[in-house]
């Protein structure tokens, strides 16, 4: 079994958008930060509209986005280098679909 790697030990190669003006730099995880509220509901909806489409009840990436970002050339381990998670099986509840009982429903009202 592989040991879990501490994310703070990762180093990231940051490449500038304007490569002719700046050069790539390697930084520690602690040196990276993001602006608050960068990820929001509205941005997620926009992302889904621009890059995803429904196919038989499943949301999939559009062919144009797959081609533009070379996603077909990548695999799961490229984005997630650690071991895949293991999920514990939990049987479905028998009460599924029924509303929970309320204690206040048994009280007599005036």
């Amino acid at each position: 079994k592989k040991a879990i790697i501490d994310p703070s030990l990762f180093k990231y190669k940051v490449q500038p958008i304007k490569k002719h003006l700046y050069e790539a730099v390697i930084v520690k995880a602690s040196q990276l930060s993001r602006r608050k509220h960068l990820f929001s509901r509205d941005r997620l909806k926009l992302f889904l509209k621009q890059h995803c489409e429904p196919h038989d009840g499943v949301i999939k990436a559009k062919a144009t986005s797959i081609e533009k970002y070379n996603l077909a050339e990548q695999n799961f381990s490229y984005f997630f280098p650690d071991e895949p998670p293991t999920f514990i099986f939990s049987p479905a509840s028998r009460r599924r679909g029924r509303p929970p009982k309320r204690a206040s429903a048994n009280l007599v009202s005036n």
Side-chain angles (χ1 to χ4, degrees):
K1 190 173 183 180
K2 286 186 176 181
I4 298 173
I5 301 172
D6 182 8
S8 65
L9 298 176
F10 279 94
K11 291 184 180 179
Y12 299 89
K13 184 175 184 179
V14 180
Q15 295 182 333
I17 294 172
K18 298 180 181 178
K19 294 180 182 182
H20 62 282
L21 294 177
Y22 306 99
E23 59 185 50
V25 180
I26 296 179
V27 297
K28 295 178 184 177
S30 61
Q31 294 174 292
L32 296 175
S33 65
R34 67 174 182 86
R35 292 179 289 168
K36 290 185 178 183
H37 307 295
L38 188 63
F39 183 76
S40 67
R41 182 182 208 151
D42 291 333
R43 288 181 186 257
L44 177 60
K45 287 168 74 174
L46 181 63
F47 169 80
L48 290 171
K49 284 181 183 178
Q50 290 178 341
H51 299 287
C52 301
E53 58 191 1
H55 282 280
D56 299 325
V58 177
I59 298 174
K60 295 187 176 185
K62 290 182 180 179
T64 54
S65 296
I66 292 171
E67 184 180 332
K68 181 177 180 180
Y69 298 106
N70 298 322
L71 297 178
E73 298 170 12
Q74 309 304 331
N75 59 21
F76 185 83
S77 62
Y78 176 81
F79 299 103
F80 302 99
D82 293 334
E83 291 293 319
T86 52
F87 298 102
I88 299 170
F89 174 76
S90 59
S93 173
R94 289 183 170 191
R95 299 187 52 78
R96 191 174 209 167
R98 293 184 196 168
K101 288 185 178 179
R102 290 187 188 183
S104 60
N106 296 330
L107 298 176
V108 179
S109 60
N110 293 344

